Amino acid sequence: MKIAALIVAGGRGTRIGGEVPKQYQPLLGRPLLHHTLSAFVRHPRISDIVTIIHPDDASHYQTAVEGLSDPRLRVALGGATRQASVRAGLLALENTGVDQVLIHDGARPCIETGLLDRIINALSTDKGVLPALPVTDTLRRDNAGSAGETISREGLVRAQTPQAFPFSAILRAHQRAPHEDYTDDVALAAEAGIETVLVEGSEDNIKVTHPEDFARVSRLFASGSENRTGFGYDVHRFSEGTHVTLGGVEIPHTHTLLGHSDADVALHALTDALLGAIGEGDIGDHFPPSDPQWKGAPSRIFLEHAARLVRSRGGEIANLDVTLVCEAPKIGPHRDAMRRSIADMISVDVDRISVKATTSEKLGFTGREEGIAAQAVASVRLPVTV
Ligand code: MG
């Protein structure tokens, strides 16, 4: 029996926000879709894996399949609705000798081998298969914010994907569907007279819908977490001026710091520390000084970028610690403002941020008041993937 998988990934994911559709947003350092496709690539019974993508997403798809290089993977271009996209995917499988097809949401990356086995074991020549779970919470109507009547949950289940069907029957049902508004393939199949049997779904097989689902799915993939530490060091030279910017705070001074950006030596050291903790090179790799767009840039964008990279891997920042080395200006009076400013930039509690200062006893370039040096350490927790 030849079994194909059809992965529906043509949506624009507008509900979730972000610059790219949700199925291409990073999850543990890879596009979400990569994890979904991996699960099917790992299963030995799947003969073809057709991903239905939006015509604008070809390069996103290429990034998503990096590292998979499996001859069973290919794409079909989707249509205006989910239903039209599934139809296009089914047509792409026509004349390939496929007997059964599993139709799966690209945004459900936690599909396990065990669930695929349950579905495959239930396949038959004339019926569909639907993984489903019982409804355990009490269902109640929302009466404009107050609790309304209880709804019986008896006989109700939550429908998941992949939904599996005999190939020719579901292709015919799609080609003859009277409208484009079926919520899923089981509904469309039912109208065409195809009965669908239930198998037990999986609580982990969630559909990523809201931004917080990324963190939840990251936890499901992680077998634990590990601590990482990174170090950063930076120096900027003084020149004529009226203030310096340190930790995002403007501090009046007899000189300013010279640099391509706003020369915030504290934020630069912290950015390098965070990048170091996740092995992502240094600030110059991400924001080349040769690039005029960073001229005069506020350095907070560098630190925010590094924090985003940590979070895109499902990681979290445990703490940041920076030491400024200078004779002047005095850091003490501005220390708490700098801690709050840094904490705000990366959305962590202020008690996770430390700012310290020392002089170098008039020794060396900092002692001669030629510039300011900063040293920083970052500690992050990253999920360990199985
Ligand atoms: Mg610098």
Side-chain angles (χ1 to χ4, degrees):
M1 186 167 56
K2 204 171 170 199
I3 305 165
L6 207 59
I7 313 299
V8 187
R12 310 320 288 146
T14 45
R15 248 181 301 180
I16 208 156
E19 284 167 17
V20 298
K22 67 178 174 187
Q23 61 273 31
Y24 300 111
Q25 288 187 20
L27 174 70
L28 301 170
R30 297 272 201 183
L32 188 160
L33 181 64
H34 176 94
H35 301 280
T36 311
L37 293 175
S38 296
F40 286 89
V41 164
R42 274 196 303 272
H43 203 288
R45 295 289 310 275
I46 306 292
S47 65
D48 299 78
I49 305 165
V50 174
T51 306
I52 307 149
I53 67 168
H54 189 278
D56 294 345
D57 292 346
S59 70
H60 292 319
Y61 174 80
Q62 282 312 320
T63 310
V65 293
E66 266 171 29
L68 290 177
S69 68
D70 190 292
R72 294 173 292 170
L73 288 165
R74 58 198 172 95
V75 291
L77 296 183
T81 62
R82 182 189 189 279
Q83 196 175 319
S85 291
V86 172
R87 192 164 59 235
L90 291 169
L91 285 169
L93 281 166
E94 216 181 3
N95 308 318
T96 58
V98 160
D99 301 299
Q100 300 277 341
V101 61
L102 275 54
I103 305 171
H104 186 60
D105 296 327
R108 290 185 193 264
C110 301
I111 167 92
E112 319 119 318
T113 303
L115 176 53
L116 289 174
D117 288 342
R118 283 200 291 285
I119 294 165
I120 289 170
N121 288 336
L123 294 173
S124 68
T125 51
D126 61 344
K127 291 189 178 69
V129 181
L130 169 70
L133 287 169
V135 178
T136 49
D137 292 326
T138 297
L139 294 179
R140 202 179 293 285
R141 210 169 286 288
D142 177 349
N143 259 347
S146 60
E149 64 179 297
T150 306
I151 312 217
S152 170
R153 62 183 181 219
E154 193 161 317
L156 293 184
V157 292
R158 293 175 284 150
Q160 299 188 326
T161 74
Q163 301 178 353
F165 304 93
F167 178 73
S168 326
I170 194 69
L171 174 60
R172 208 175 319 119
H174 265 273
Q175 285 173 321
R176 295 179 184 172
H179 62 79
E180 292 282 316
D181 303 326
Y182 292 100
T183 46
D184 65 1
D185 298 287
V186 167
L188 188 147
E191 194 116 323
I194 305 169
E195 194 188 322
T196 296
V197 299
L198 301 183
V199 297
E200 188 190 353
S202 161
E203 290 291 352
D204 290 348
N205 183 25
I206 59 173
K207 184 172 182 177
V208 173
T209 310
H210 306 289
E212 56 272 25
D213 293 337
F214 277 88
R216 192 173 157 209
V217 166
S218 297
R219 283 195 297 275
L220 286 173
F221 273 112
S223 60
S225 66
E226 61 181 6
N227 295 322
R228 299 283 200 92
T229 303
F231 176 74
Y233 176 74
D234 196 30
V235 172
H236 280 266
R237 153 197 310 277
F238 280 131
S239 75
E240 291 310 308
T242 57
H243 69 273
V244 295
T245 305
L246 294 173
V249 175
E250 271 192 22
I251 300 173
H253 190 48
T254 53
H255 288 79
T256 191
L257 288 172
L258 201 62
H260 190 66
S261 64
D262 64 4
D264 191 326
V265 66
L267 293 190
H268 294 185
L270 285 166
T271 302
D272 266 356
L274 268 185
L275 293 174
I278 56 172
E280 280 279 359
D282 62 27
I283 196 169
D285 295 331
H286 295 263
F287 302 95
S290 54
D291 189 336
Q293 69 170 305
W294 312 122
K295 177 123 189 77
S299 295
R300 64 176 299 147
I301 63 176
F302 308 148
L303 190 66
E304 286 165 356
H305 173 76
R308 259 197 310 277
L309 288 177
V310 171
R311 294 195 173 112
S312 73
R313 296 190 177 198
E316 55 186 7
I317 297 164
N319 74 299
L320 297 180
D321 183 19
V322 62
T323 297
L324 290 154
V325 186
C326 58
E327 304 294 324
K330 285 258 170 286
I331 302 300
H334 307 283
R335 180 201 307 258
D336 283 330
M338 289 167 62
R339 291 177 68 210
R340 275 196 305 277
S341 156
I342 295 164
D344 273 359
M345 286 174 206
I346 56 170
S347 304
V348 300
D349 289 338
V350 74
D351 70 355
R352 295 183 185 275
I353 306 295
S354 159
V355 173
K356 311 195 301 299
T358 185
T359 70
S360 51
E361 298 278 326
K362 305 265 183 210
L363 296 171
F365 69 88
T366 51
R368 292 188 298 271
E369 301 196 38
E370 292 166 4
I372 300 183
Q375 301 195 15
V377 172
S379 178
V380 308
R381 273 190 295 274
L382 283 190
V384 181
T385 50
V386 285

